[in-house]
Amino acid sequence: MNLTIQEIANALAIDNINDSRSIEQVEFDSRKINQNALFIPLPGARDGHTFAQAAIENGAIAMLWSQPLDLAPKLEQVTILPVADVTKAFQQLAVYYREKIQPKVVAITGSNGKTTTKDMTEAVLAQQYRTYKTQGNYNNDLGLPYTILHMPADTEILILEMGMDHAGEIAFLSTLGQPDAAAITIIGEAHLENLGSRENIAKAKLEIVTGLKQDGLLLIPADEALLVPLVQPLSQEIRTFGLEQGDLSAKIIDESSQQTTFEVANQALTIPVLGGYNVKNALIAYGFGQYFGLTSAQIAKGLAQVELTKNRTQWLTASNGAALLSDVYNANPTAMGLVLDSFARLNLPGRRLACLADMLELGPDSLAMHAKMAEHIQQHYDKVYLYGSQMLALKEALASQNIPYAYFKVDEKDQLIACLSAELTPTDSLLLKGSNGMGLQAVVQALVEANQ
């Protein structure tokens, strides 16, 4: 980092601090602290202030402090920075640091594909610029300032993923980030339970323009009618993307388990991942590349080299040799339908199987949305393994179509693992998809590690 304790105090309007020592790290997890760190004791199930001593032992030399000062550590080597609200001070410091480094900022939101798009965008822009991106899923009101404060001082383009589950959250994140360019990947059904309708989800996602520069760029899907009336009053440049439609239009040439080749403006491009839906994500990265002045060759090279964050459409091998497509970080009906369709189109050596877990936070129409997944399964799958209470609706739909299935309740994860382990053969290919809260990652891990 490129901050001193004195500078941090000045940025937060804290008086009576005289400490020129440099801060090399900002952390809210005391276990991650190394030398010369600023500790951020955030509120939570256990108040961060209770970990002050552990932070000091690991190398913290300064910390924000919102409790009474007589409770603060009294050590000569530790500078206490008193603030009224640790979370707000943390966010304020992130704004200061962003303004100091002055990178161009790219912001990405959407109901699905945010992380994949972030990874693709970083791979493209890194061909010409020094980039830094959101790590993992640090995409909320704490994760975004954390990302900013971990940005190297020589960063030229900062790529921020922005997540939400309530209205107003993206507006807040966009105000913190002040993007030069932004994108909405897709308007799906995630968080219907909180937002009530896809129309409200579209409005919430469009909050990304709150901090977008007036001369900035916004990329939106060409096939999303809900966004059309919402973007008409905007002053920013609006570009659309899609498969054979939009300002950035792609045609899929070839799709296999390991890569997808498509054409944009008579140029063939390849991404090392499955799925036409990922071509749409790649088009966003393509659009950002164009906006920031990269050549077509640079964009193509970046897309060909992209490495996706773990658990996003990740091919693995079970202990017996079966192929596993793990896509278990999140799920909504749009995303699940897309990956089921893509998996169904693959030329596979043996049986085509799917393990599907509940999609959470879908509101009162959840059961109907789960049942609708039968349209994407039909006769393409040899057997489907269902896990969770909401999947009862899909069970009934599959039964009515005589599609083979096995059903497991929420408390039967061990039975699900045992069943899959017993029935998978070395030539099978198994897709696993469900909301992160259903814990399918444990199923994936068990299949990979069995008998090891």
Side-chain angles (χ1 to χ4, degrees), residues 372-391:
K372 197 172 178 62
M373 292 301 103
E375 298 176 5
H376 302 276
I377 296 170
Q378 297 182 354
Q379 305 306 316
H380 304 302
Y381 287 80
D382 295 282
K383 188 170 182 177
V384 182
Y385 300 82
L386 305 173
Y387 174 59
S389 60
Q390 300 301 295
M391 281 295 166

Side-chain angles (χ1 to χ4, degrees), residues 224-238:
E224 187 45 78
L226 290 174
L227 288 172
V228 174
L230 300 178
V231 300
Q232 287 178 348
L234 299 178
S235 64
Q236 292 90 350
E237 178 185 0
I238 310 296

Side-chain angles (χ1 to χ4, degrees), residues 31-222:
R31 297 167 296 184
K32 294 182 179 180
I33 284 179
N34 297 311
Q35 295 300 309
N36 301 321
L38 170 69
F39 178 51
I40 312 293
L42 294 172
R46 292 188 64 185
D47 192 294
H49 292 81
T50 63
F51 297 97
Q53 186 57 42
I56 293 169
E57 291 172 359
N58 288 335
I61 60 173
M63 61 182 64
L64 303 184
W65 195 265
S66 63
Q67 291 190 351
L69 283 177
D70 59 356
L71 300 178
K74 296 172 177 61
L75 298 170
E76 185 176 341
Q77 73 271 26
V78 179
T79 297
I80 301 299
L81 300 169
V83 296
D85 185 309
V86 170
T87 300
K88 290 181 179 179
F90 177 45
Q91 294 161 343
Q92 184 180 343
L93 181 60
V95 170
Y96 172 83
Y97 187 60
R98 174 184 53 75
E99 292 176 346
K100 178 178 181 178
I101 303 304
Q102 293 191 327
K104 296 292 184 181
V105 177
V106 171
I108 298 165
T109 193
S111 299
N112 193 63
K114 295 185 293 296
T115 300
T116 298
T117 303
K118 171 199 69 180
D119 292 338
M120 290 179 171
T121 299
E122 194 273 337
V124 167
L125 297 180
Q127 300 303 311
Q128 182 168 318
Y129 298 98
R130 289 185 292 274
T131 60
Y132 187 72
K133 67 180 179 180
T134 300
Q135 302 298 299
N137 64 331
Y138 276 43
N139 62 11
N140 62 9
D141 60 334
L142 301 179
L144 188 136
Y146 182 89
T147 297
I148 294 173
L149 287 165
H150 278 240
M151 165 180 56
D154 64 351
T155 300
E156 294 175 310
I157 297 184
L158 175 64
I159 302 157
L160 297 175
E161 179 181 331
M162 297 183 178
M164 52 148 276
D165 58 18
H166 289 84
E169 290 179 276
I170 296 296
F172 178 76
L173 298 178
S174 180
T175 300
L176 281 182
Q178 293 290 300
D180 297 87
I184 299 172
T185 61
I186 193 172
I187 305 299
E189 302 85 0
H191 313 306
L192 270 174
E193 190 171 43
N194 295 330
L195 290 162
S197 67
R198 288 187 71 251
E199 289 80 1
N200 287 339
I201 292 172
K203 292 175 183 178
K205 297 299 183 185
L206 194 64
E207 291 174 10
I208 201 166
V209 303
T210 304
L212 182 64
K213 305 288 175 56
Q214 288 302 305
D215 59 351
L217 168 71
L218 176 65
L219 297 170
I220 62 170

